[in-house]
């Protein structure tokens, strides 16, 4: 168990812990981390990334390239950990709440999401967050989890693994027949019609990596609010959102979206270190969950263990944050990525992503033999453009684009499409070049 007697005393407010603190150690890490340069134009933002100039990067949403400020934060924490692993981890994790480095990360995240730092659990990715939520919910035989056919494998698998244990049933619904012609009213009506008395959870994905569809989460949450008016606390339908392709790409205050549990990796659009993510929920929803993985982030757990008793109080976000030592130089550097987003501005970022992808969708739709699947409506799309080319498999198109130095991807779903995704690392000129490559690739299809 990593919590030393010294840390334990310190967590209780004991003076002994404070006297032994390696004071100034973390301030020194911060001092070695250069401040963010002004990011007031897109060239300066693009210069933050070390992406190979040999390619046009249109799969940036897959896994983040660390920007300069994140690399500097990772390097700073790594150096400190390499020099003093014991002192740094004891001090950064277990001694004082005010200096706790996970708390500092959560404060940076809360400033971006809205809400409060203690509503956030830190996870290594979206997958772990979804698994912790679905396994933590008090589901039982007779309860139903409603999910959609559009969600990622890790969402469906989290539900399958959880319901195989607890006996709840699962039903998958389709929210639209064709993403390209879907409407907000149509989607909302299908959600409404699908809810049954035994439905306890609705799982959805904010931005689909299958089609690029962005769901109207607020309107879906409003439907559930209506349904829940006639239900008591134990039978409420809870809204679980896989938000990984919305966070960092869409201008929303996530804490206000209306979801009960928001799970996301932060190693895609947010550009936080690889292997980082979060779950956000309000205190009453955290209180519903049963933790699955022992945590190092809640002092009460350790105290209860020492005294051989059950932990006191309701479940909280910190009890869901997986414990065991982590790649702390990555986790603690998450804050740098959220600060970068705030410095550039959430609205500016979302507008840039919208403009680049609008250009991309317009161009794709005009190419003969290309069928664009992502809605043209900016309200129903974000940063992913999915398309197919008559006569070619998605992977063949991706291969032909790669031969032209354009990195695209294909969606890993039963029905797969080719994808181009424009992000902060791209320019309008690059979008035109990628479109020209698609045009050539479709000609190569014959
Ligand atoms: C919609 C969606 N959800 C979840 C994931 C898995 O993300 P993570 O690696 O953060 O677990 C992906 C993967 O790209 C995805 O597209």
């Amino acid at each position: 168990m990593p919590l030393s007697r010294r840390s334990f005393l310190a967590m209780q407010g004991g003076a002994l812990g404070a006297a032994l603190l390696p004071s100034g150690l973390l301030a020194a890490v911060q001092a070695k981390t250069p401040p963010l340069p002004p990011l007031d134009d897109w060239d300066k933002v693009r210069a933050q990334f070390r992406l190979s100039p040999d390619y046009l990067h249109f799969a940036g949403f897959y896994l983040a390239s660390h920007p300069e400020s994140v690399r500097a934060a990772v390097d700073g924490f790594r150096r400190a950990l390499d020099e003093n692993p014991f002192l740094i981890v004891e001090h950064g994790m277990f001694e004082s709440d005010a200096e706790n480095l996970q708390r500092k990360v959560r404060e940076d995240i809360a400033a971006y999401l809205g809400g409060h730092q203690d509503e956030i659990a830190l996870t290594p990715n979206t997958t772990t967050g979804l698994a912790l939520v679905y396994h933590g919910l008090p589901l039982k035989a007779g309860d139903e989890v409603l999910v959609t056919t559009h969600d990622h494998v890790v969402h469906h698998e989290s539900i399958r693994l959880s319901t195989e244990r607890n006996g709840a049933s699962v039903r998958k619904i389709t929210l639209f027949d064709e993403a390209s012609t879907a409407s907000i009213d149509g989607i909302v009506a299908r959600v409404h019609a699908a809810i049954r008395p035994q439905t306890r959870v609705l799982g959805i994905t904010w931005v689909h990596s299958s089609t690029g569809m962005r769901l109207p989460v607020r309107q879906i949450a409003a439907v559930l609010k209506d349904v829940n008016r006639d239900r008591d606390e134990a039978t409420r339908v809870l809204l679980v959102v896989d938000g990984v392709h919305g966070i960092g790409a869409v201008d929303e205050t996530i804490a206000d979206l209306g979801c009960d549990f928001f799970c996301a990796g932060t190693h895609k659009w947010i550009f936080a270190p690889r292997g980082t993510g979060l779950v956000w929920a309000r205190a009453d929803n955290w209180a519903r969950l049963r933790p699955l993985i022992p945590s190092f982030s809640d002092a009460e757990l350790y105290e209860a263990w020492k005294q051989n008793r059950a932990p006191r109080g309701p479940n909280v976000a910190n009890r869901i944050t997986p414990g065991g030592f982590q790649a702390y130089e990555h986790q603690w550097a998450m804050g740098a990525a959220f600060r970068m987003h705030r410095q550039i501005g959430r609205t500016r970022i979302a507008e840039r992503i919208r403009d680049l992808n609008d250009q991309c969708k317009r161009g794709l739709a005009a190419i003969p033999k290309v069928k664009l699947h992502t809605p043209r409506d900016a309200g129903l799309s974000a940063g992913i453009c999915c398309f197919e080319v008559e006569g070619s498999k998605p992977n063949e198109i991706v291969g032909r684009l790669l031969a032209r130095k354009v990195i695209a991807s294909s969606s890993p779903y039963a029905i797969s499409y080719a994808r181009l995704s424009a992000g902060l690392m791209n320019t309008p000129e690059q979008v035109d070049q990628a479109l020209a490559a698609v045009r050539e690739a479709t000609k190569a299809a014959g």
Side-chain angles (χ1 to χ4, degrees):
M1 185 73 195
L3 294 180
S4 66
R5 177 178 148 73
R6 167 164 74 85
S7 330
F8 176 65
L9 289 171
M11 281 194 300
Q12 315 248 27
L16 177 59
L20 294 176
L21 287 183
S23 72
L25 214 46
L26 292 167
V29 171
Q30 273 150 10
K32 283 187 205 160
T33 308
L36 266 173
L39 296 173
D40 47 2
D41 77 51
W42 295 116
D43 285 341
K44 288 182 192 146
V45 173
R46 280 166 32 71
Q48 286 269 306
F49 297 93
R50 265 187 190 151
L51 287 160
S52 161
D54 299 339
Y55 295 91
L56 297 182
H57 297 270
F58 281 87
F61 69 91
Y62 185 80
L63 191 58
S65 166
H66 296 173
E68 164 75 36
S69 58
V70 171
R71 291 199 304 276
V74 170
D75 286 350
F77 287 124
R78 176 172 294 142
R79 199 166 39 233
L81 284 161
D82 283 337
E83 286 168 5
N84 269 308
F86 173 78
L87 293 179
I88 288 286
V89 173
E90 284 282 293
H91 185 57
M93 286 291 293
F94 303 121
E95 286 177 347
S96 95
D97 198 38
E99 303 237 351
N100 183 280
L101 287 172
Q102 288 190 333
R103 185 193 169 106
K104 287 186 192 307
V105 167
R106 293 194 307 268
E107 283 168 356
D108 277 318
I109 298 173
Y112 177 90
L113 297 184
H116 195 258
Q117 62 83 16
D118 61 11
E119 296 169 343
I120 295 158
L122 303 178
T123 66
N125 43 46
T126 324
T127 305
T128 308
L130 288 166
L132 290 169
V133 169
Y134 283 107
H135 283 77
L137 286 169
L139 294 165
K140 57 184 185 320
D143 293 344
E144 178 188 77
V145 177
L146 190 62
V147 68
T148 82
T149 54
H150 315 288
D151 306 300
H152 193 267
V153 55
V154 301
H155 199 155
H156 290 165
E157 281 293 277
S158 293
I159 294 172
R160 182 180 70 82
L161 296 172
S162 142
T163 53
E164 276 181 4
R165 284 172 171 81
N166 59 40
S169 63
V170 187
R171 189 158 47 97
K172 288 184 186 161
I173 56 165
T174 302
L175 297 178
F176 44 81
D177 298 328
E178 283 264 350
S180 56
T181 54
S183 69
I184 292 182
D185 288 350
I187 291 169
V188 168
R190 286 204 192 182
V191 169
H192 199 231
I195 292 166
R196 293 178 181 165
Q198 63 272 31
T199 309
R200 296 285 170 272
V201 186
L202 171 64
I204 60 171
T205 301
W206 190 3
V207 178
H208 294 170
S209 48
S210 46
T211 59
M213 160 67 75
R214 165 181 160 194
L215 287 187
V217 176
R218 272 178 201 283
Q219 289 88 333
I220 292 173
V223 167
L224 296 194
K225 199 169 172 196
D226 231 31
V227 168
N228 286 333
R229 240 186 274 284
D230 300 328
R231 297 191 177 208
D232 59 24
E233 269 306 295
T235 58
R236 274 189 71 192
V237 187
L238 299 169
L239 183 58
V240 177
V241 176
D242 170 350
V244 71
H245 295 299
I247 187 171
V250 174
D251 186 16
E252 281 283 7
T253 301
I254 287 166
D256 289 351
L257 264 179
C259 41
D260 291 293
F261 295 96
F262 181 92
C263 307
T266 48
H267 49 192
K268 294 179 189 282
W269 295 91
I270 289 286
F271 308 121
R274 294 176 284 271
T276 61
L278 61 89
V279 179
W280 171 88
R282 292 210 190 280
D284 54 339
N285 283 324
W286 284 120
R288 294 174 197 275
L289 294 195
R290 287 179 61 191
L292 185 70
I293 300 177
S295 176
F296 282 3
S297 306
D298 181 34
E300 164 59 12
L301 296 180
Y302 179 60
E303 203 167 324
W305 175 76
K306 293 262 286 187
Q307 295 171 20
N308 199 23
R309 59 167 176 78
R312 294 199 179 111
N315 184 57
V316 292
N318 274 349
R319 290 187 190 176
I320 296 291
T321 295
F325 287 150
Q326 308 285 324
Y328 287 124
E329 61 268 61
H330 275 209
Q331 187 182 73
W332 295 342
M334 288 171 79
F338 282 91
R339 289 195 296 277
M340 180 178 122
H341 273 260
R342 288 213 316 281
Q343 178 169 329
I344 302 170
R346 212 175 58 193
T347 307
R348 267 183 77 214
I349 288 175
E351 282 172 4
R352 172 74 168 178
I353 291 171
R354 186 200 59 207
D355 290 350
L356 291 170
N357 287 283
D358 272 355
Q359 180 190 348
C360 188
K361 285 184 284 180
R362 235 184 359 260
L364 286 169
I367 300 176
K369 289 205 234 162
V370 169
K371 178 167 168 48
L372 177 69
H373 284 277
T374 307
R376 291 287 290 276
D377 179 350
L380 285 174
S381 57
I384 302 177
C385 308
C386 295
F387 63 101
E388 63 186 324
V389 176
E390 201 185 299
S392 298
K393 293 196 168 67
N395 274 337
E396 291 169 346
I397 292 298
V398 169
R400 280 182 218 134
L401 291 176
L402 188 58
R404 290 165 175 82
K405 300 285 186 191
V406 175
I407 299 181
S409 62
S410 62
S411 52
Y413 291 80
I415 299 174
S416 178
Y417 299 128
R419 300 182 292 197
L420 285 175
S421 166
L424 300 192
M425 66 294 292
N426 301 115
T427 62
E429 296 71 32
Q430 289 185 348
V431 172
D432 281 340
Q433 289 164 17
L435 289 168
V438 174
R439 230 170 274 122
E440 287 172 31
T442 59
K443 284 188 200 136

